[in-house]
Amino acid sequence: MRRVAGAVGITAMAIYRHFPDRDSLLNALADEGFRELAERLRSRKYARGFGKRLVEMGNVYLEHALENPRLFELMFLRARRGARQFPQDFKAGKSPTANVMIEAVQEGMRRGYFRKGDAWEVVFEMGALSHGLILLYLGGRLAVSKERFREMYRAAFARYLRGMRK
């Protein structure tokens, strides 16, 4: 907490007035990251096709992660008290990012674009694919440029969605 306080130019005690402990501060940062990502997902105009719309959403997700790698790790990799869990929290509508994507998946299934299935599982799987690829890249496990990684990510996401097609 002292390092954080020093980095932002306040005393550690000032942080403790708002956050009782380090975990509370980290949860607040992660929650803000989710709010920001959900807002970016909601505020964008998307293509009309379901597949294209989800690929574009995946791109928003990717860019947020590349712009905020440490925040992304905090949001999706670190164990945190109160972090949302699949399936109960997702199906209860508590995931601000999945809530945006579920609409496109459900509509695609209703209209026969995607095969019928558990739409929440599909959204979770898309997130797992994204998280896995992004975390491998951020962890230095892919010896490719950022642009080449973007290409690989987009291709993998498109392949997954093609597999969902009816």
Side-chain angles (χ1 to χ4, degrees):
M1 294 294 260
R2 282 190 289 270
R3 281 193 343 229
V4 170
V8 295
I10 60 175
T11 67
M13 290 312 296
I15 293 175
Y16 282 112
R17 280 189 215 121
H18 301 282
F19 304 101
D21 55 31
R22 182 177 186 270
D23 287 342
S24 297
L25 174 61
L26 292 176
N27 277 337
L29 290 170
D31 288 345
E32 178 60 21
F34 280 112
R35 188 204 58 72
E36 180 183 304
L37 177 54
E39 179 57 33
R40 286 173 82 169
L41 286 165
R42 278 193 302 271
S43 67
R44 181 138 181 225
K45 294 284 186 196
Y46 293 103
R48 294 179 68 75
F50 304 108
K52 287 182 182 179
R53 186 181 336 164
L54 288 165
V55 166
E56 290 174 8
M57 287 180 181
N59 289 336
V60 170
Y61 203 88
L62 171 64
E63 293 308 318
H64 184 266
L66 294 177
E67 291 166 12
N68 306 284
R70 298 290 302 262
L71 179 58
F72 185 84
E73 290 173 19
L74 174 63
M75 291 165 62
F76 295 106
L77 182 62
R78 289 184 59 112
R80 293 184 298 107
R81 182 179 64 234
R84 287 171 286 281
Q85 294 183 321
F86 185 83
Q88 65 273 12
D89 293 334
F90 285 66
K91 290 183 177 186
K94 295 179 181 178
S95 172
T97 53
N99 289 344
V100 178
M101 298 183 92
I102 191 68
E103 295 166 11
V105 172
Q106 287 174 331
E107 187 178 349
M109 286 180 178
R110 273 194 308 274
R111 294 191 180 198
Y113 182 83
F114 293 131
R115 283 181 272 141
K116 298 279 186 207
D118 185 322
W120 282 108
E121 285 183 9
V122 170
V123 169
F124 188 74
E125 291 161 3
M126 286 189 302
L129 173 63
S130 293
H131 298 162
L133 292 171
I134 290 167
L135 291 170
L136 286 169
Y137 176 75
L138 295 176
R141 295 311 201 53
L142 299 173
V144 297
S145 69
K146 190 180 281 188
E147 193 49 47
R148 176 66 184 120
F149 172 68
R150 283 184 173 103
E151 292 169 7
M152 290 172 64
Y153 174 91
R154 290 175 182 140
F157 208 83
R159 260 191 307 277
Y160 178 82
L161 291 174
R162 277 194 305 274
M164 285 292 304
R165 294 282 312 265
K166 201 165 186 183

